Amino acid sequence: MFDLVVRNANLPDGREGVDIAVQSGRIVAVESAIAGAAQTEIDATGRLVTPPFVDPHFHMDATLSLGLPRMNTSGTLLEGIALWGELRPTLTKDALIERALRYCDLAVSQGLLAVRSHIDTSDPRLVTAEALLEVRDMVAPYLTLQLVAFPQDGYYRAPDGVASLSRALDMGLDVVGGIPHFERTMADGTASVEALCRIAADRGLPVDIHCDETDDPMSRHVETLAAQTVRFGLHGRVVGSHLTSMHSMDNYYVSKLIPMMVEAGLHAVANPLINIMLQGRHDTYPKRRGMTRVPELLAAGINVGFGHDCVMDPWYSMGSADMLEVGHMAIHVAQMASITDKRKVFEILTYGNARVMGLEGYGIEAGCHADLVILQARDAVEALRLKANRLTVIRRGKVIAETPARLTALTLAGRPAQVDASGYAPSTK
C-alpha cells in the first residue's frame, strides 16, 4: 500500500505514461503501470508532471509593497532603490511577515516550492532579517526558503554595512550577498567581493552576488568574483546574479571571461523580467535589452538559473510568482526559439535553479522528495507556451494546492461545447 500514486504522467525528459509511487514523503518508484494500491491515486491523464518550480533570486522583504511610500514613476532601477530607501525606515516586523506569507501562498498556488530571497541588511535594525527568519520557519513545511544577507546600499558604502551583514549572518541567514557595482568606486567594489568571499569561506557558506547589474561594459566585477572563488576554494558555491553588463561587453573580453567563470564553477542567474525592464534606460535606439548572454553561458557548460527577482515592489509593478512567465520572457529575449532551446528553458526553471540553491532530493526519481506539480499541458514546451495552469501541487507526498482545469464554454452553432487551449499544439516529437 503506497501513500500516493500519480498515474499516466508525462515527464519533462520525454517519458510518457509513467506512474510515480510515493511512500513516507519520498518517491519510491517511477515506472509504467505500477502494481498495487495507494491511499490516494491521481490520474494525470497524459499531462506533464514536473518537480516544483524553483526561484533562485527574489526579494521577499520588498514584495507586495507596490505604492509604498509612492509609485516608481520612472520605472528605473535607481528610483526603485531610492524608494526602498524611503520605505525601509518605516518597515515593521509584522508587516514584513504578513506580506511575505501572502507571497508564499501565491508561490505555492503556482507550484513554486523553493525560493532564495535576498534580505536587505543595510538598516542596522535588521528588522528585515528578523522577520524573514521567522517566515522561513513558518513556511518550512511547504516551501524551502533560503535567505541571503544582502547589503543593498553597499557593503562598504552603507555606514553600518560591514557590521550589519556580519550580525545578519550571526542571526542565521544562509548565504553571503553583495552588490559591488553599487559601491562608491570600482576599487571598493573589487575589495567588497574579496571580503565577502573570505567571509563565506570562513563561515562555510555559499555566496550570491548582485554582480554588474548595469549597462556599463566596464563593470567587470564578475571577473573578480571568479578569481576570488578560485582563491578561496568556493567552486560550485558561488552565484553571479544579473550579470547584465555582459550584454554590453565586447566579444573579445567575453571570450576571456566565460572560461574564467567555467574554471571557478560559477552559477549564473539571469532575471529576464527585471533585466529587460530596467536595463537600457539611457539608450535611445538601438536600445539594449540588458539580459546576460544566456545561450553562450549554457554552451560553455555554466549552470544558468532564471529568477523572478521582484513582484509588485518598488522596482517592478508586475509579476505573479509564475516561473513559467519568467521562462516565457527568457525565450523571447534570448531568442531561444527551437524545441531544444525551450526544453532547456524549462530545465533551467526546475533542475537548473535547484542546482543554484543546492537543493537535496530534488527530481523525479526513486529516493527524491515527493514534490510534484501537475500542469495543464502535455509537455514542457507546451507548458511554456501556455504558461500552463497548475492543476495539482504536491509537497512531500501531500496535495497542498489544486486548481480546476482552465476550460472555456462555447455557445457557437456547429462548434464544440468547450475549448481546452492545452489541446491545440501539434506533436513536437
Side-chain angles (χ1 to χ4, degrees):
M1 174 68 73
F2 299 109
D3 293 336
L4 169 70
V5 175
V6 178
R7 299 198 182 275
N8 196 22
N10 293 349
L11 303 186
D13 62 11
R15 285 177 285 175
E16 296 184 349
V18 173
D19 292 352
I20 305 167
V22 173
Q23 188 71 39
S24 301
R26 295 268 182 175
I27 296 171
V28 294
V30 182
E31 305 168 6
S32 298
I34 291 175
Q39 294 181 20
T40 303
E41 290 203 11
I42 300 173
D43 187 355
T45 64
R47 288 170 166 145
L48 180 65
V49 179
T50 179
F53 296 107
V54 177
D55 183 355
H57 189 104
F58 194 65
H59 292 265
M60 200 171 288
D61 51 0
T63 197
L64 306 183
S65 64
L66 183 66
L68 300 174
R70 54 187 173 78
M71 295 294 291
N72 184 338
T73 56
S74 68
T76 62
L77 173 63
L78 291 180
E79 185 176 354
I81 292 173
L83 273 172
W84 178 245
E86 294 176 29
L87 175 60
R88 189 168 51 205
T90 72
L91 295 174
T92 66
K93 179 180 170 182
D94 288 346
L96 284 160
I97 290 173
E98 191 271 339
R99 287 202 307 269
L101 288 175
R102 287 189 65 217
Y103 183 79
C104 290
D105 295 342
L106 183 61
V108 167
S109 76
Q110 299 282 24
L112 171 57
L113 300 187
V115 177
R116 173 178 284 183
S117 176
H118 294 256
I119 306 303
D120 185 3
T121 61
S122 296
D123 183 345
R125 295 183 304 150
L126 291 179
V127 64
T128 48
E130 185 181 355
L132 269 296
L133 282 165
E134 287 197 22
V135 171
R136 185 182 67 185
D137 293 340
M138 293 167 73
V139 302
Y142 54 88
L143 186 146
T144 300
L145 179 59
Q146 292 181 357
L147 303 178
V148 183
F150 174 53
Q152 172 77 72
D153 292 349
Y155 181 64
Y156 290 127
R157 186 173 181 173
D160 298 293
V162 174
S164 292
L165 184 134
S166 180
R167 286 173 48 226
L169 293 173
D170 290 343
M171 291 169 67
L173 270 63
D174 307 291
V175 184
V176 179
I179 185 168
H181 55 278
F182 201 65
E183 301 291 351
R184 286 189 176 89
T185 66
M186 286 287 188
D188 282 353
T190 298
S192 77
V193 172
E194 178 182 357
L196 293 164
C197 287
R198 185 185 299 276
I199 289 168
D202 289 345
R203 290 178 177 258
L205 296 176
V207 178
D208 195 328
I209 304 290
H210 280 62
C211 204
D212 304 321
E213 188 185 2
T214 170
D215 294 322
D216 179 6
M218 298 308 294
S219 184
R220 298 178 173 183
H221 295 295
V222 64
E223 179 183 74
T224 303
L225 184 61
Q228 296 300 330
T229 297
V230 173
R231 176 188 178 189
F232 289 107
L234 298 172
H235 299 74
R237 290 163 48 189
V238 178
V239 179
S241 293
H242 289 289
L243 304 177
T244 58
S245 67
M246 289 183 70
H247 184 94
S248 301
M249 290 174 182
D250 67 83
N251 290 335
Y252 179 80
Y253 175 69
V254 171
S255 73
K256 170 197 173 186
L257 175 61
I258 288 181
M260 289 183 64
M261 297 170 67
V262 173
E263 178 191 9
L266 291 188
H267 303 271
V269 174
N271 297 286
L273 297 169
I274 308 304
N275 294 155
I276 69 163
M277 178 67 79
L278 298 181
Q279 302 312 128
R281 288 301 185 116
H282 294 280
D283 295 352
T284 52
Y285 289 94
K287 182 183 285 287
R288 290 168 292 178
R289 300 319 309 270
M291 193 171 79
T292 195
R293 301 182 181 216
V294 170
E296 291 85 353
L297 293 168
L298 289 170
I302 292 171
N303 183 55
V304 174
F306 289 149
H308 203 311
D309 201 2
C310 305
V311 170
M312 290 184 283
D313 67 11
W315 294 274
Y316 190 62
S317 61
M318 301 179 71
S320 58
D322 183 354
M323 294 306 293
L324 287 174
E325 182 180 9
V326 174
H328 192 273
M329 185 61 72
I331 288 169
H332 289 83
V333 179
Q335 298 179 329
M336 296 177 71
S338 73
I339 297 298
T340 300
D341 286 342
K342 292 172 186 174
R343 289 174 178 152
K344 183 60 183 178
V345 167
F346 192 91
E347 191 271 340
I348 289 172
L349 299 175
T350 50
Y351 290 94
N353 285 349
R355 286 191 289 271
V356 172
M357 289 184 62
L359 297 181
E360 177 271 329
Y362 182 90
I364 304 183
E365 300 294 344
C368 292
H369 291 299
D371 299 342
L372 304 166
V373 181
I374 304 175
L375 296 167
Q376 192 179 349
R378 72 171 180 228
D379 59 34
V381 172
E382 279 299 277
L384 283 160
R385 183 181 72 87
L386 296 167
K387 289 174 276 187
N389 197 18
R390 285 71 163 168
L391 299 173
T392 307
V393 181
I394 298 165
R395 172 77 166 186
R396 304 301 195 260
K398 304 292 185 183
V399 175
I400 61 171
E402 293 180 283
T403 303
R406 186 180 300 136
L407 304 171
T408 301
L410 295 182
T411 53
L412 303 174
R415 302 309 301 152
Q418 66 181 19
V419 169
D420 178 354
S422 68
Y424 272 65
S427 173
T428 56
K429 290 187 175 182

